[in-house]
Amino acid sequence: MAPMPPAYVPEPGSLAMARRLRSLLAADVPVACGVYIGLTEPGESSARHAEVTYARARHLVNRAVHLLPHFNTNPPPVLRVLGAASWGREDALNGTMSDFPADLTTELWRQVAELVRCPSALSTEERSHGSDLLLRLGYVDAAAELLSMRGSDAATHVFRTEIAAEELAVLRRRRHDPAVLEAQVLASMRQQAHPAPIQLIMGNFVVVSHGRRGIDTPAMHEAAELARKAVRELDCDPFSLHLATQKFYRATSFIPFLAGDVAKTLRLLEQAEAHQLAAKSEAKTELELLAWIDHAFPLYETIAKTHARSGNVDEAVTATEHLVELSPNDQRTWAARGQALLRAGRFEEALNAYQAAVPLGGLPVARATYHLGWLHGQLGNQAEENECYRTSQMIDPTVPAVNNMLEHANPGKLSA
């Protein structure tokens, strides 16, 4: 295994986030895509998930959400805040859609803001799609309000079948003990009052939430069995069926992974990939192709990370090639590819991968330039090494690994 840099882990908490935002406001590394900052039309520098966000907004204002297929990626709500900060716009960090700075908004943004102000004028399906859009734009409270979830608590919430998936999405983004929400979701599943698609979404959530926390419990296995039952009961078109089944196999691959069974984990991911590939031939419209990409990206990201953690470095690199094809303007693409190439000891290629992230702008440039600094150090380029570390620290001063690298290179001269 090739040598690896110290882990890039920003300090947690609200105080660290405040420091991060202050630095980002002054760093002059603007995000290249403006979808999350005013709903500007996607361009050549937009990630696929930004295209999905824009499509949701466009179909909502056209009152055509029934034409939208099921998408998969849930971008973090903080993207709007971080994007606005990268543009040096402190006046765009808080507030509501309606009081977003006028010079940053598009007509589409204003139309969405007007629509969501009147939930009673929207159908249940429109409110569901509207809440998803508001979450993507970082307005969690407004999304909750649109679903009549003011004051809802993870421990006591009763899921309404017609909007259960959207309610779960809102609750996931509120601060709470994840185990509490997992227990409430599983309790709702046990009643089996929801149709198969909702049962599957809930089961996948419980399994993945456990998996990300690294906790294997009877509840995780129970949720997986209920999700398996839901897959068998799905009644939908072949395109949707293949994508739903893919998500089930990807979610349940966490179970053998936590048990240390790499072979079974990879077999489940192979089954997931087979359904993903089968779905592509069933895609009939540009929206369905976009939905296919939106499901494919996290699958290949999972495959890459699983191979990397299992020591299969060449397979990890191959999986990241799919990410480059699927969404070349996604910061996650280059983070995953850079890590895979680092583990494979292919430093020159890793240098190119991290460099590709820099023009996309925003906070992720801090992570990319940290790794560029380390790579330049390994390649003997001391001047470039120091410059990259300083750039990384200028954007985000809350990462101990960056500060330690600078202190080591310049004893007693650490930047403020």
Side-chain angles (χ1 to χ4, degrees), residues 203-271:
N204 286 346
F205 162 74
V206 174
V207 173
V208 172
S209 185
H210 274 76
R212 287 176 175 168
R213 293 194 293 131
I215 299 174
D216 188 347
T217 69
M220 183 186 197
H221 292 266
E222 182 183 358
E225 286 308 310
L226 289 171
R228 190 184 309 278
K229 180 175 181 291
V231 169
R232 293 195 294 265
E233 296 174 354
L234 288 174
D235 181 16
C236 54
D237 62 89
F239 176 74
S240 300
L241 180 60
H242 281 303
L243 292 185
T245 308
Q246 180 265 96
K247 291 179 67 176
F248 167 74
Y249 282 121
R250 182 165 65 90
T252 53
S253 70
F254 265 116
I255 296 175
F257 183 78
L258 292 180
D261 190 339
V262 175
K264 186 173 182 180
T265 301
L266 293 175
R267 283 199 299 273
L268 288 172
L269 289 175
E270 287 172 2
Q271 288 177 280

Side-chain angles (χ1 to χ4, degrees), residues 100-292:
F100 199 69
D103 64 308
L104 294 181
T105 64
T106 61
E107 178 62 23
L108 179 59
W109 179 283
R110 293 188 288 273
Q111 290 175 326
V112 170
E114 184 64 27
L115 271 178
V116 299
R117 286 175 58 187
C118 304
S120 61
L122 302 177
S123 68
T124 299
E125 187 177 20
E126 287 172 334
R127 288 190 291 116
S128 297
H129 283 276
S131 70
D132 181 274
L133 177 60
L134 288 169
L135 287 179
R136 287 168 172 265
L137 297 177
Y139 296 109
V140 178
D141 290 340
E145 186 72 27
L146 198 58
L147 299 178
S148 301
M149 291 180 64
R150 180 190 292 272
S152 292
D153 180 78
T156 61
H157 184 73
V158 178
F159 289 94
R160 294 163 287 181
T161 293
E162 66 276 11
I163 56 172
E166 291 73 30
E167 290 177 324
L168 176 55
V170 168
L171 290 171
R172 284 174 56 194
R173 285 159 179 77
R174 288 183 165 175
R175 292 184 180 180
H176 53 252
D177 182 345
V180 172
L181 180 56
E182 291 164 12
Q184 189 66 6
V185 171
L186 185 55
S188 186
M189 291 184 71
R190 286 173 181 144
Q191 298 174 10
Q192 298 191 19
H194 304 298
I198 300 302
Q199 287 284 98
L200 180 57
I201 289 170
M202 287 181 159
N204 286 346
F205 162 74
V206 174
V207 173
V208 172
S209 185
H210 274 76
R212 287 176 175 168
R213 293 194 293 131
I215 299 174
D216 188 347
T217 69
M220 183 186 197
H221 292 266
E222 182 183 358
E225 286 308 310
L226 289 171
R228 190 184 309 278
K229 180 175 181 291
V231 169
R232 293 195 294 265
E233 296 174 354
L234 288 174
D235 181 16
C236 54
D237 62 89
F239 176 74
S240 300
L241 180 60
H242 281 303
L243 292 185
T245 308
Q246 180 265 96
K247 291 179 67 176
F248 167 74
Y249 282 121
R250 182 165 65 90
T252 53
S253 70
F254 265 116
I255 296 175
F257 183 78
L258 292 180
D261 190 339
V262 175
K264 186 173 182 180
T265 301
L266 293 175
R267 283 199 299 273
L268 288 172
L269 289 175
E270 287 172 2
Q271 288 177 280
E273 185 179 20
H275 281 282
Q276 182 67 40
L277 295 175
K280 190 171 187 179
S281 63
E282 302 289 348
K284 302 295 191 297
T285 67
E286 289 188 11
L287 278 175
E288 286 187 341
L289 182 57
L290 184 58
W292 184 87

Side-chain angles (χ1 to χ4, degrees), residues 43-58:
E44 294 181 354
S45 298
S46 296
R48 295 297 188 186
H49 64 76
E51 294 180 23
V52 171
T53 299
Y54 187 84
R56 279 193 178 278
R58 178 61 64 193

Side-chain angles (χ1 to χ4, degrees), residues 336-379:
R337 183 153 177 81
Q339 280 291 298
L341 290 166
L342 276 176
R343 289 180 182 274
R346 294 159 62 172
F347 288 174
E348 290 285 358
E349 291 173 87
L351 198 74
N352 291 333
Y354 285 115
Q355 187 59 52
V358 175
L360 300 178
L363 184 65
V365 175
R367 182 185 296 269
T369 50
Y370 165 70
H371 287 97
L372 285 170
W374 187 85
L375 284 162
H376 278 301
Q378 297 297 302
L379 297 171

